[in-house]
Amino acid sequence: MFLIQIRITGVQLNFFTMVESCQDDFLAHYKFITGKLKKKFLRKPNVAESSEQFANLANRCKDDELPQYAGLCWMAVAKCEGSLENRTEEAAALINASNQFLVAEEKLLTCHCVSPNLEHLQAAVSCMNHARLKWTKDLPLMTGLTIHTGKTLEQFGLTSEASLYYSRAADLQSEYPNQKLESLFLLATARINSGDYDGALITYNEIASIASHFVPFGTNLDTLVRCEVTRILLLLIMKPAPHRHAPTMLEKYTWIGDSSKSQVPWMSEELFFFLQSLVMSCQSLDFEALLETEKELWPLLSAEQKQLLRILVQSTARI
């Protein structure tokens, strides 16, 4: 928060900042509330009242654009609610703290002065993890917060770390296949973005295995096609040894004739033909044919698949 005084008739501009005074004011109020929580002779502290006061101070800090202090206040609220055994309120306060720490980290990003250790981000993730532990009996909330943590880490470019949370979310959803697919797709994308193509292939194999138990229709049909195309692209990028994927998925795209198409009956003939051309041009190292296939295949691909196709073309060009 800044108080700016401008003299229009002169060149001189006088700027008076109030940030330091806001910080001093915060510390004074924080210490005052904390002092009320200390046990006194024959008198128990009013924890509920202190919790409310910390929440009010947090909102003031938020209004004064001091999100890191607001986060500290919400952590104090969580501690108060925890001592009162109000687990839901404790978790909610931790989420509020996490959100404020994220705002603080984003402000640093905007100013291009991010700390090397991303302290505010670490505080935010820590709060999310503690909140998740408070919801162990509420699977949807716990899973949702686990996924949210992963997305937060991805937002700051920490895709490898995000993968751990998506994997954890998928494990929590092991008894709910349709919901698990969402977490697995997030996991696969995070692994692709971090360059872990082998891990991404394993994840897409698991997705395909789950989807194969349902009728290939509607959304499930889209899932099967997405898995098939993405796995082919990953295999071509990785150029795996034959023994690693035996019988390899690529074999059905190297035979000319109707018998090959029958192995993937739920795929359109057009898409199958382009994938066949892609596989054969890569195996024969025919770069001109690969470029032509890329042009034809491009409109049929998702953004992620286009990213993989570009990587494949660039890696082939270097051979």
Side-chain angles (χ1 to χ4, degrees):
M1 180 179 179
F2 296 92
L3 176 63
I4 304 175
Q5 187 178 52
I6 303 177
R7 187 180 301 167
I8 299 178
T9 56
V11 178
Q12 183 179 5
L13 300 177
N14 297 319
F15 297 91
F16 300 94
T17 180
M18 295 183 64
V19 172
E20 290 186 4
S21 62
C22 287
Q23 294 172 344
D24 293 339
D25 184 53
F26 161 77
L27 291 173
H29 279 80
Y30 191 91
K31 289 180 180 178
F32 174 74
I33 302 171
T34 303
K36 295 171 65 176
L37 287 171
K38 294 179 179 179
K39 292 184 178 179
K40 298 181 181 179
F41 183 67
L42 297 178
R43 183 180 176 185
K44 293 178 65 175
N46 190 336
V47 180
E49 180 184 51
S50 295
S51 178
E52 183 179 353
Q53 291 175 345
F54 276 127
N56 291 334
L57 183 57
N59 290 325
R60 284 182 54 189
C61 290
K62 178 182 177 182
D63 293 339
D64 289 338
E65 297 184 3
L66 297 171
Q68 64 272 34
Y69 293 134
L72 290 173
C73 289
W74 282 117
M75 287 182 67
V77 173
K79 187 175 181 179
C80 290
E81 296 299 333
S83 67
L84 295 172
E85 298 185 356
N86 296 331
R87 296 173 68 88
T88 302
E89 288 78 3
E90 181 183 5
L94 286 167
I95 296 300
N96 286 336
S98 174
N99 291 336
Q100 289 304 305
F101 285 129
L102 285 177
V103 171
E105 195 67 64
E106 288 168 354
K107 285 184 67 176
L108 290 177
L109 270 176
T110 303
C111 299
H112 302 288
C113 55
V114 181
S115 60
N117 297 320
L118 299 171
E119 285 89 354
H120 295 321
L121 177 60
Q122 289 187 29
V125 171
S126 177
C127 288
M128 289 184 203
N129 286 335
H130 280 84
R132 183 166 50 85
L133 294 176
K134 303 300 175 183
W135 283 333
T136 53
K137 294 183 180 180
D138 193 325
L139 184 60
L141 284 175
M142 184 168 58
T143 305
L145 189 53
T146 303
I147 293 174
H148 178 65
T149 305
K151 290 182 177 180
T152 298
L153 289 166
E154 269 200 292
Q155 178 185 343
F156 289 90
L158 302 175
T159 51
S160 296
E161 292 81 354
S163 297
L164 299 175
Y165 285 90
Y166 295 143
S167 179
R168 196 174 299 166
D171 290 339
L172 291 171
Q173 297 168 320
S174 57
E175 296 182 6
Y176 306 93
N178 287 331
Q179 296 176 21
K180 184 177 182 178
L181 286 177
E182 297 177 13
S183 297
L184 288 175
F185 274 128
L186 290 171
L187 174 59
T189 298
R191 284 177 168 172
I192 287 173
N193 291 336
S194 63
D196 181 11
Y197 301 131
D198 192 60
L201 179 61
I202 291 172
T203 305
Y204 267 108
N205 285 339
E206 184 176 359
I207 295 172
S209 177
I210 294 173
S212 65
H213 290 87
F214 300 97
V215 177
F217 182 77
T219 302
N220 191 59
L221 176 60
D222 294 338
T223 297
L224 288 169
V225 173
R226 176 178 175 181
C227 286
E228 184 75 8
V229 174
T230 307
R231 288 191 294 173
I232 293 300
L233 291 168
L234 287 168
L235 283 168
L236 291 174
I237 290 172
M238 294 164 58
K239 300 176 178 61
H243 67 273
R244 289 192 59 197
H245 300 277
T248 176
M249 286 183 57
L250 300 179
E251 286 184 359
K252 57 179 172 282
Y253 295 97
T254 57
W255 295 90
I256 304 299
D258 295 335
S259 58
S260 301
K261 172 67 179 68
S262 64
Q263 296 185 47
V264 278
W266 35 261
M267 180 182 292
S268 70
E269 291 187 6
E270 180 186 33
L271 181 56
F272 180 86
F273 172 76
F274 288 143
L275 288 177
Q276 192 176 54
S277 300
L278 182 70
V279 171
M280 297 180 72
S281 60
C282 285
Q283 291 183 339
S284 62
L285 298 180
D286 187 341
F287 189 64
E288 293 300 324
L290 177 59
L291 290 177
E292 185 63 28
T293 303
E294 178 191 24
K295 180 180 177 182
E296 299 292 342
L297 189 57
W298 193 264
L300 304 177
L301 302 181
S302 66
E304 180 177 272
Q305 291 165 350
K306 289 176 180 177
Q307 173 190 344
L308 290 173
L309 182 56
R310 277 279 81 203
I311 293 171
L312 173 61
V313 172
Q314 290 168 4
S315 63
T316 305
R318 291 192 291 267
I319 296 177

